[in-house]
């Protein structure tokens, strides 16, 4: 073994908070959105950041746009790195509209995806249909994530509806329920038109769910990540993280960036 491979930073320099869980994590999970990385860029991302990524979502309906060999290679690389990989929830919505759910789920399994996301950000899903999609995913051997919220500008969170969604989805076996914020983080869900978090709404939501471990918060902007980490703690799950922001977010989680360096272990 060469000398360089034996070098290791002192633990308190790696994680001044002393709280970061190693993978596989049960808290503080990070979901990265991939909007079309090529194989070399994907490999580069994994070579530097794989320990800090828990899930990779191939955004929107991009999955069928890849050449099949490229898509399978990306899926295999993610799995080899111990990272869950799933197609975007919008793609499942397209399958619902086109009445191709059976074929869609079959392809997801055959390609090697580990997970899928059930959402209704663009379409309307009855509670019964949502239940069916969750149960079918679980019966197919997939880890199922769900999403609450609409994608259109100015969409609001209905607290009663959110509470029912989280309770029923998780009882059916969904691992996490994601709060919609799109890839922009503006004008949707808990964020206003400028991307500022609506703390009054956040406070009401946390009264409903004092343990946030079943919730993933989409927070594509760095300011949103800092705000939610400070408000809710290091152990929250964060999604729609850009590949270029993985190391930045991990630095925030560990107190290795000025925004969170003052936190005590």
């Amino acid at each position: 073994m060469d000398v360089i491979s034996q070098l290791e930073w002192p633990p308190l320099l790696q994680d001044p908070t002393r709280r970061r869980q190693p993978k596989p994590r049960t808290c503080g999970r990070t979901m990265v959105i991939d909007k079309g990385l090529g194989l070399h860029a994907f490999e580069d991302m994994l070579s530097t950041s794989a320990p800090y990524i828990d899930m990779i979502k191939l955004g929107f309906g991009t999955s069928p746009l890849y050449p099949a060999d490229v898509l399978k290679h990306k899926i295999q690389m993610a799995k080899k790195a111990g990272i869950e990989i799933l197609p975007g929830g919008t793609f499942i919505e397209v399958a619902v509209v086109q009445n191709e759910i059976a074929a869609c789920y079959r392809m997801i399994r055959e390609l090697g995806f580990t997970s899928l996301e059930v959402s209704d950000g663009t379409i309307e899903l009855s509670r019964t249909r949502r239940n069916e999609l969750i149960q079918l995913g679980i019966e197919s051997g997939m880890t199922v994530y769900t999403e609450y919220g609409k994608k259109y500008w100015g969409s609001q969170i209905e607290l009663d509806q959110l509470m029912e969604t989280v309770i029923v989805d998780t009882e059916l076996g969904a691992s996490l329920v994601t709060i919609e914020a799109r890839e922009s983080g503006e004008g949707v869900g808990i964020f206003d038109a400028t991307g500022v978090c609506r703390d009054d709404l956040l406070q009401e939501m946390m009264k409903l769910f004092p343990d946030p471990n079943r919730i993933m918060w989409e927070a594509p902007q760095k300011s949103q990540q800092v705000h939610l980490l400070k408000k809710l703690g290091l152990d929250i799950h964060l999604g729609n993280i850009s590949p270029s922001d993985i190391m930045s977010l991990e630095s925030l989680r560990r107190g290795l960036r000025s925004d969170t360096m003052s936190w005590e272990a």
Side-chain angles (χ1 to χ4, degrees):
M1 184 179 293
D2 60 64
V3 175
I4 293 178
S5 64
Q6 294 177 322
L7 292 175
E8 186 173 350
W9 294 102
L12 285 178
L13 293 182
Q14 295 181 48
D15 180 11
T17 69
R18 309 175 198 174
R19 295 180 51 167
R20 193 71 172 121
Q21 283 187 348
K23 290 168 61 175
R25 282 182 277 270
T26 57
C27 58
R29 305 182 77 195
T30 294
M31 183 274 282
V32 171
I33 185 169
D34 173 358
K35 297 189 283 187
L37 293 177
L39 288 178
H40 294 302
F42 195 80
E43 185 176 18
D44 286 346
M45 177 182 73
L46 296 182
S47 70
T48 58
S49 306
Y52 319 124
I53 307 170
D54 299 280
M55 299 99 85
I56 296 173
K57 178 166 67 176
L58 303 186
F60 336 119
T62 56
S63 295
L65 301 182
Y66 291 95
D69 59 334
V70 173
L71 180 57
K72 291 191 74 170
H73 195 180
K74 291 184 80 167
I75 292 169
Q76 290 165 359
M77 284 195 290
K79 291 166 69 174
K80 185 176 181 180
I83 298 168
E84 292 186 57
I85 185 163
L86 62 153
T90 300
F91 187 44
I92 304 299
E93 295 181 41
V94 171
V96 170
V97 171
Q98 299 300 325
N99 197 29
E100 291 284 4
I101 279 294
C104 180
Y105 276 38
R106 183 175 63 252
M107 279 293 291
I108 287 171
R109 289 195 310 272
E110 292 179 357
L111 285 165
F113 282 108
T114 61
S115 316
L116 58 84
E117 181 181 67
V118 174
S119 67
D120 56 0
T122 306
I123 65 174
E124 295 297 330
L125 276 182
S126 69
R127 183 68 256 183
T128 299
R129 186 60 169 145
R130 187 180 179 96
N131 293 354
E132 292 171 351
L133 294 173
I134 294 170
Q135 291 169 327
L136 181 59
I138 292 171
E139 289 167 3
S140 301
M142 312 295 289
T143 299
V144 174
Y145 299 99
T146 63
E147 188 171 69
Y148 171 85
K150 296 299 184 184
K151 293 183 180 296
Y152 59 82
W153 181 269
S155 61
Q156 299 293 311
I157 290 175
E158 301 292 337
L159 292 175
D160 290 344
Q161 186 182 69
L162 171 62
M163 182 170 65
E164 178 189 6
T165 298
V166 173
I167 291 172
V168 176
D169 285 5
T170 55
E171 285 181 348
L172 288 169
S175 293
L176 294 173
V177 179
T178 300
I179 307 300
E180 175 70 68
R182 303 206 69 176
E183 71 278 7
S184 67
E186 296 177 351
V188 175
I190 63 171
F191 301 116
D192 69 15
T194 63
V196 173
C197 183
R198 297 173 54 201
D199 283 347
D200 55 338
L201 178 58
L202 183 64
Q203 185 176 7
E204 290 300 313
M205 292 171 66
M206 295 318 299
K207 289 178 182 177
L208 297 176
F209 310 109
D211 177 6
N213 207 39
R214 287 291 187 152
I215 304 293
M216 174 171 286
W217 308 88
E218 289 188 346
Q221 299 182 21
K222 181 246 183 177
S223 60
Q224 296 167 348
Q225 296 158 21
V226 172
H227 188 78
L228 290 174
L229 289 169
K230 286 185 172 181
K231 284 286 185 180
L232 305 179
L234 292 171
D235 295 334
I236 59 171
H237 310 300
L238 292 174
N240 271 17
I241 306 303
S242 167
S244 62
D245 290 338
I246 300 166
M247 297 287 256
S248 168
L249 173 57
E250 190 66 21
S251 297
L252 290 170
R253 289 191 184 278
R254 295 176 183 234
L256 291 170
R257 192 162 176 172
S258 60
D259 306 86
T260 56
M261 192 175 72
S262 61
W263 292 356
E264 296 185 8

